[in-house]
Amino acid sequence: MLLASAVVVWEWLNEHGRWRPYSPAVSHHIEAAVRAGPRAGGSVVLGQVDRRLAPYIIDLHSMNQFRQDTGTLRPVRRNYYDAASAPGQGVVWEWESDRGSWTPYDMDVGIAIQRAFETQRPCIDLSPVGFGYVIDFGTMGQINRQTQRQRRVRRRLDLVYPLATGAAGRAASWPAAPGAAAAAAAGPRAPPCSCPQCVLVRSVKAAAPPAPAARRSAAPPAAVKGPPAQGPGATPPDSAGAGQGPGKPAPSSQAIRRQASPAAAGAGPAGCPASPPGATGKAGRVALATLDRTSLQRLALAQSRVLIASGVPTVPVKNLSGSSPVNPALAGITGILMSAAGLPVCLTRPPKLVLHPPPVSKSEIKSIPGVSNTSRKTTKKQAKKGKTPEEVLKKYLQKLRHPPDEDCTICMERLTAPSGYKGPQPTVKPDLVGKLSRCGHVYHVYCLVAMYNNGNKDGSLQCPTCKTIYGVKTGTQPPGKMEYHVIPHSLPGHPDCRTIRIIYSIPPGIQGPEHPNPGKSFSARGFPRHCYLPDSEKGRKVLKLLLVAWDRRLIFAIGTSSTTGESDTVIWNEVHHKTEFGSNLTGHGYPDANYLDNVLAELAAQGISEDSAAQEKD
């Protein structure tokens, strides 16, 4: 079947295992390089089309995105979607973050939202695609099914993604077949590219000395075994039998050697001149081991100059010999560029993930100064009986006889008109308007009662505009146990203090009336969960506030996992924890200089501060 009715979307794999789309402009840029064939060189510099992506390069030989300033590699893929769907129409659906920035939905989610929008449905439940949210087209809001928290969403028009060419089911290969490469090479050449990456490739080709004949013939081509290079349209990196994803350890403790193919050896960046005799082809291919110390230093110096000239920040790390500092980007970017220059590449093992501290005996575990006990169980707090929603809200509202001529941000109707809420009918009049006492925001009382009934009904209220909390906010965390103590080891970045270890244990069970699906079972994956804080003054302060959050059932909730997509399972509830003890490969470890301040801000957003901790003690 011809792909005339499909569009191509280039996507990258994030740390949660979800494929995220590049923008239409970036996809056009990558697709143009693919269709240019070997003359494009096999590398795509994303900063040429989007300044925000300046550190990133895509290597089409390995189908990886490489970040120059950190050395991070992520798989990419070339995916097809119906030309009549959202990407084929240039429609992008986005949600607003807490910082006011707009983030596009995953492509399959955006397509589902657009399909519901086109059929004039009032809303769409995203649970079937792995998210516990509802999109309300009337208010253009995203509603968390568990917490009822709302975010704005928007629909905007962008470029249409590039139309696919060729036949469906035929995997595009990179580089092209030798005959095609020869035909392409015979065509007219464009002027040499002057970007830093292409300049470096040409300098590597020109500086590389020819290998001795004995070394060139030491091993026949059949002796070199390596995984087949993934090309555009090949099996995506997350499929069975595909390459490793980010964060996964290397399959062997030995370094993996990958030999460039003859077709790749002749490939260079667009417009680059042909390599000098002896620098390309089987007879002239240079092994990295044949370069002397001076040549290696020249290569490293050229790489560093290019990185500095292109404005890429560098961070000192230790190289394989453990002595001299090198740029973290050096190994990865040199691998990509040397592959394009026809040189073999040596990939080393990634850093090791350290989740837990060394074994600790019972005698070494100590209680935390200033904190009573070493564990506590969940206590379930209920709103006082006999309090109707109207009676609860009466404490926080001032009735307005003459409401302002503006919209109610819950129902989006004018405050001078009756409420537009269409759900179960509260007992208050739909035209009654109230003003929240502390923040001053104005709403239909009818809408506030409906919002309260859809929440936890614990006697508290949170302003949907500014998130000010009235009363004591509690959550729906299932029963469990929280343990906490000090162990005699230090966290990276906190060498002068010991470590507070927190252990959360929650068993699977049956959902209660406050949960998404009452009477249905829920799972509890990954328990007991171990988390770590520095045993410093600020670390102990965070622990005390986490204890308040635990008592208020705000640490966990039951919902849909954003990592696995599983529904009806125990998930974290917007208070981040550090679960890596001795590394920070997933972003959930140390060192992290801002973590303690960030988690204090997250707790404050849940209504938990030092004042609330003192009230809890009283």
Side-chain angles (χ1 to χ4, degrees):
M1 180 184 69
L2 294 178
L3 294 176
S5 60
V7 291
V8 176
V9 177
W10 281 84
E11 300 169 321
W12 57 277
L13 187 68
N14 71 7
E15 62 273 19
H16 302 300
R18 301 195 67 88
W19 288 98
R20 304 285 298 136
Y22 290 103
S23 69
V26 174
S27 287
H28 274 279
H29 183 57
I30 302 171
E31 190 67 11
V34 171
R35 295 176 183 178
R39 287 187 297 171
S43 296
V44 185
V45 182
L46 301 188
Q48 293 176 348
V49 68
D50 188 339
R51 288 185 177 182
R52 296 170 299 176
L53 303 181
Y56 298 98
I57 292 176
I58 288 182
D59 178 36
L60 297 175
H61 297 279
S62 61
M63 290 293 281
N64 278 311
Q65 169 192 277
F66 173 72
R67 179 163 178 160
Q68 299 176 75
D69 53 347
T70 64
T72 302
L73 285 172
R74 295 189 186 277
V76 299
R77 73 178 182 184
R78 184 183 189 227
N79 212 0
Y80 298 105
Y81 294 93
D82 192 333
S85 63
Q89 302 176 47
V91 174
V92 180
W93 284 90
E94 299 173 320
W95 55 273
E96 186 181 32
S97 71
D98 293 335
R99 298 179 180 179
S101 60
W102 292 93
T103 303
Y105 286 95
D106 294 354
M107 191 55 68
D108 56 343
V109 179
I111 289 173
I113 297 174
Q114 176 64 13
R115 188 182 300 118
F117 180 81
E118 289 174 342
T119 55
Q120 299 183 346
R121 291 168 54 184
C123 61
I124 177 175
D125 186 351
L126 299 183
S127 298
V129 290
F131 293 92
Y133 300 102
V134 173
I135 304 297
D136 187 334
F137 296 119
T139 62
M140 288 300 281
Q142 171 189 278
I143 305 168
N144 187 313
R145 295 184 62 193
Q146 174 63 31
T147 65
Q148 297 301 307
R149 182 180 182 183
Q150 295 192 26
R151 294 182 185 273
R152 290 196 300 165
V153 300
R154 73 179 184 183
R155 176 184 182 268
R156 66 175 181 85
L157 294 179
D158 204 327
L159 293 173
V160 174
Y161 278 89
L163 286 173
T165 59
R170 183 190 302 171
S173 60
W174 185 272
R189 291 187 176 275
C193 179
S194 59
C195 75
Q197 286 77 17
C198 295
V199 170
L200 181 58
V201 169
R202 291 199 294 272
S203 67
V204 170
K205 288 180 176 181
R215 296 298 297 269
R216 290 199 302 265
S217 59
V224 180
K225 295 183 180 180
Q230 285 184 335
T235 304
D238 61 343
S239 302
Q244 294 174 223
K248 294 185 180 180
S252 169
S253 61
Q254 299 295 327
I256 304 171
R257 296 192 176 272
R258 177 164 60 91
Q259 187 76 22
S261 65
C272 290
S275 302
T280 60
K282 177 181 175 182
R285 191 175 298 139
V286 181
L288 185 61
T290 66
L291 298 179
D292 57 21
R293 185 177 184 84
T294 303
S295 298
L296 289 173
Q297 289 176 343
R298 186 183 301 117
L299 175 63
L301 181 61
Q303 171 66 49
S304 300
R305 286 175 177 169
V306 168
L307 289 174
I308 294 170
S310 60
V312 177
T314 58
V315 181
V317 297
K318 295 297 181 181
N319 67 359
L320 295 179
S321 62
S323 56
S324 60
V326 297
N327 294 312
L330 181 59
I333 188 64
T334 301
I336 289 176
L337 295 174
M338 293 180 70
S339 175
L343 302 177
V345 179
C346 177
L347 303 178
T348 59
R349 286 182 298 173
K352 186 178 180 181
L353 183 70
V354 182
L355 290 177
H356 303 294
V360 178
S361 65
K362 288 186 178 181
S363 61
E364 294 178 305
I365 296 176
K366 306 295 181 182
S367 59
I368 302 168
V371 180
S372 59
N373 303 319
T374 57
S375 67
R376 63 179 66 186
K377 295 184 177 181
T378 302
T379 56
K380 185 174 180 180
K381 297 183 178 181
Q382 298 286 357
K384 293 181 180 180
K385 293 182 178 181
K387 291 285 185 180
T388 65
E390 292 80 1
E391 291 173 330
V392 171
L393 297 182
K394 188 177 180 180
K395 299 185 297 182
Y396 311 133
L397 285 174
Q398 301 172 359
K399 293 183 180 179
L400 294 181
R401 294 184 179 180
H402 305 288
D405 187 19
E406 58 187 44
D407 288 343
C408 169
T409 57
I410 298 177
C411 69
M412 301 308 293
E413 296 289 345
R414 305 300 287 181
L415 290 168
T416 52
S419 168
Y421 177 71
K422 303 300 182 184
Q425 303 297 313
T427 58
V428 298
K429 296 179 180 179
D431 57 353
L432 192 63
V433 175
K435 176 182 178 181
L436 291 173
S437 58
R438 286 166 53 196
C439 65
H441 288 109
V442 182
Y443 305 96
H444 290 115
V445 177
Y446 196 83
C447 295
L448 287 174
V449 171
M451 186 181 75
Y452 181 84
N453 282 329
N454 288 329
N456 200 24
K457 292 182 280 193
D458 58 358
S460 71
L461 180 72
Q462 188 166 16
C463 174
T465 300
C466 65
K467 310 305 179 186
T468 298
I469 296 174
Y470 295 81
V472 177
K473 179 181 178 180
T474 61
T476 60
Q477 175 180 291
K481 184 178 181 182
M482 176 182 180
E483 301 174 73
Y484 41 93
H485 47 252
V486 174
I487 57 176
H489 299 291
S490 297
L491 292 166
H494 298 275
D496 300 329
C497 62
R498 298 175 299 174
T499 297
I500 297 173
R501 179 168 62 184
I502 304 172
I503 303 175
Y504 293 111
S505 300
I506 295 180
I510 304 298
Q511 298 182 51
E514 72 275 27
H515 294 137
N517 297 298
K520 186 177 179 180
S521 62
F522 68 87
S523 61
R525 311 292 184 193
F527 289 95
R529 299 187 185 182
H530 291 229
C531 308
Y532 304 96
L533 292 168
D535 185 27
S536 60
E537 181 179 353
K538 185 177 283 190
R540 288 192 288 270
K541 174 183 175 181
V542 169
L543 174 67
K544 292 176 182 178
L545 297 185
L546 287 176
L547 290 171
V548 176
W550 174 264
D551 289 339
R552 295 183 184 179
R553 305 174 68 201
L554 292 169
I555 300 291
F556 296 97
I558 295 177
T560 301
S561 170
S562 61
T563 304
T564 65
E566 181 183 10
S567 58
D568 297 306
T569 190
V570 180
I571 57 175
W572 293 105
N573 186 37
E574 300 185 3
V575 178
H576 286 84
H577 286 63
K578 292 295 190 181
T579 54
E580 281 184 71
F581 175 80
S583 58
N584 195 17
L585 299 185
T586 65
H588 303 301
Y590 294 91
D592 185 342
N594 299 319
Y595 169 66
L596 296 178
D597 291 328
N598 291 341
V599 75
L600 286 173
E602 291 173 345
L603 288 164
Q606 300 288 340
I608 299 173
S609 61
E610 289 186 273
D611 293 338
S612 62
Q615 294 173 5
E616 200 83 2
K617 186 180 293 185
D618 297 339

